[in-house]
Amino acid sequence: MTRILMMGPPGVGKGTQASRLASHLQVPWISTGDLFREQVRNETPLGLQIRDLMGSGHYVPNEIADELVAHRLAELDTRDGFILDGYPRTAAQVQALDRVLAASSVHLTAIVVLDAGRSDIIERLLQRAGEQGRADDTPEVIDRRLQVYADEAAELFGCYADRGVLLHVDGMGHPDAVAERIWKALELTP
Ligand code: ADP
C-alpha cells in the first residue's frame, strides 16, 4: 500500500518524479493539473468554467478540486495505492482528503516535498514554456504561481507537520539523481 502526495513549487519536476515513482510502484499517478487541463482541452462545462482561472495562475475552487479527486480516488485502480500530484493545495483540501481517506479507513504513507531555489525554478519554467506552450508559463503568471505556492506550502506544511509524514528531498540536478533521493527517502530499493 503506497499512498503518496508529491509537493513542491511549479516546475520543480513533480510530474516527472510522480510518474516515475508511480510506474516503479505500479500505482496510478494522479495529477490534478493534468485532469483539469484535460477538461479545458475537451471544452467540458467544467473546463469552460475553470479555463480563465487556470490560464491566469489562480486556483480552481476547492469544491471542484475536491470533487474531482474524490471521484478519481473512488476508482478501482487506486485500491493498492496512488501518487497524488497537485492536491491538496489548501487547508480545506487537506480536510477533504482526510475525509476521503478516513471513509476507506486508510492513511497517507508519505508526503514527498521536492525543494528548489526560486531562480532555478524560473529558469525551468521558462524553458518549459518554450517546449510545451502552456498558457500559465509566462513570466507574470509564473511570478504569481510562485507566490501562490509559497503561501500554499506554508499552509500545507502547517497542516501536516505533526503527522510525521513529510519527507523533504532536494529537487535539483538530473532527474535520475532526484529519483534516487526520493527512493532513499521512502526507503525503497531502486
Ligand atoms: P504547477 O504545479 O506547475 O503550477 P499543476 O499542473 O499542478 O501546475 O496545476 C496547474 C493549475 O491547475 C493550477 O495553477 C491551478 O489553476 C489548477 N489546479 C491544479 N491542482 C489544483 C488544486 N488542488 N486546487 C486548485 N487548483 C488546482
Side-chain angles (χ1 to χ4, degrees):
M1 295 292 171
T2 327
R3 297 185 188 84
I4 294 175
L5 307 184
M6 294 288 295
M7 291 184 185
V12 75
K14 259 180 325 211
T16 305
Q17 296 299 335
S19 89
R20 287 174 72 139
L21 194 56
S23 49
H24 185 72
L25 297 170
Q26 298 193 300
V27 295
W29 163 39
I30 303 169
S31 154
T32 48
D34 282 352
L35 291 174
F36 287 136
R37 275 187 290 277
E38 188 183 314
Q39 300 278 334
V40 171
R41 211 173 27 247
N42 294 335
E43 301 187 346
T44 63
L46 174 66
L48 294 175
Q49 193 184 334
I50 63 178
R51 183 183 53 198
D52 293 345
L53 281 176
M54 284 189 70
S56 58
H58 289 100
Y59 282 168
V60 164
N62 285 328
E63 307 74 57
I64 293 182
D66 293 343
E67 197 184 318
L68 186 96
V69 170
H71 203 77
R72 182 64 188 86
L73 292 183
E75 286 177 38
L76 267 186
D77 64 340
T78 64
R79 206 181 24 196
D80 296 330
F82 53 78
I83 313 287
L84 193 48
D85 158 15
Y87 183 95
R89 285 184 125 130
T90 63
Q93 292 180 11
V94 170
Q95 288 171 5
L97 179 62
D98 281 345
R99 286 193 294 272
V100 169
L101 297 177
S104 314
S105 310
V106 297
H107 296 278
L108 291 175
T109 313
I111 302 176
V112 176
V113 185
L114 291 179
D115 294 321
R118 186 182 166 89
S119 56
D120 295 305
I121 290 295
I122 292 177
E123 199 176 305
R124 286 202 200 180
L125 286 170
L126 290 174
Q127 189 185 335
R128 185 170 79 182
E131 291 162 7
Q132 299 179 4
R134 260 175 59 166
D136 56 355
D137 280 344
T138 62
E140 313 85 77
V141 178
I142 286 171
D143 233 35
R144 153 108 39 76
R145 283 160 62 215
L146 286 176
Q147 187 51 50
V148 165
Y149 175 75
D151 298 342
E152 158 194 321
E155 189 173 32
L156 293 179
F157 296 167
C159 292
Y160 285 118
D162 57 358
R163 300 200 201 175
V165 284
L166 283 173
L167 300 172
H168 281 271
V169 173
D170 177 5
M172 293 315 297
H174 193 280
D176 290 346
V178 178
E180 210 167 297
R181 284 178 214 135
I182 294 175
W183 281 329
K184 234 185 225 155
L186 290 169
E187 298 176 355
L188 300 172
T189 34

